[in-house]
Amino acid sequence: MAEDAAHILNGPNLNLLGAREPAIYGTTTLAEIEAACREKAESLGLSLVFRQSNSEGELIDWVQTARAEAAGLIINPGAYTHTSIALLDALSAVDIPVIELHLSNIHARETFRRHSVTAAAASGVIMGLGAAGYPLALDALKRIINKGRA
Ligand code: DQA
């Protein structure tokens, strides 16, 4: 039997992790996060698609790909979290588990970051745990996928 696929999507400016505002986002690069996710996914028996885009349209296309191909989706929408009804609509059309993820605790930041437009379409949200949140999100996703089949 083919392995279940987890898709992890990263939004704008997350390609700069490690160098971008390290006091907020930490010093771990996106490539290092991807490597940790690959290790975790393998241990969970999941195949992994890991992507980053600065473009809202591309992220929406990838959500639609996940809808067709993945068993579960983890998304850090970056600043689109706070603005994108189009991304919310794409996520709302998905009937696989979705986990929204943020490196920082958006509730402890500027007022404009405290509301997530997209989280309404998520099964759960992980935030404020830095890069460590990504493998934790994969653990959580695997549990939700298994629970859905039990
Ligand atoms: C972020 C939080 C957003 O407010 C911000 O625009 C980001 C990263 C996070 O991971 O903490 O780009 O999603």
Side-chain angles (χ1 to χ4, degrees), residues 11-14 17 20 24-25 76-82 101-106 109-110 112-113 127-128 134:
N13 301 304
L14 293 168
L17 281 182
R20 171 196 184 202
I24 297 173
Y25 298 116
N76 182 346
Y80 291 133
T81 303
H82 317 295
L101 182 144
H102 302 284
L103 294 137
S104 63
N105 175 0
I106 61 173
R109 300 189 60 198
E110 303 97 318
F112 64 83
R113 289 187 206 276
M127 70 172 80
Y134 280 78

Side-chain angles (χ1 to χ4, degrees), residues 4-7 46 66 69-73 96-97 141 145 149:
D4 282 328
H7 287 206
L46 295 168
E69 296 177 4
L73 172 64
I96 53 172
L141 195 68
I145 292 168
R149 296 211 175 116

Side-chain angles (χ1 to χ4, degrees), residues 21-79:
E21 300 184 271
I24 297 173
Y25 298 116
T27 53
T28 308
T29 65
L30 195 63
E32 289 166 342
I33 290 174
E34 178 174 354
C37 287
R38 292 209 173 279
E39 203 174 302
K40 171 59 81 173
E42 199 181 332
S43 77
L44 293 170
L46 295 168
S47 68
L48 182 68
V49 170
F50 190 98
R51 291 170 157 158
Q52 187 277 331
S53 177
N54 292 326
S55 150
E56 186 178 20
E58 190 160 43
L59 289 165
I60 289 167
D61 287 343
W62 289 345
V63 170
Q64 293 186 6
T65 302
R67 177 177 180 270
E69 296 177 4
L73 172 64
I74 296 166
I75 183 165
N76 182 346

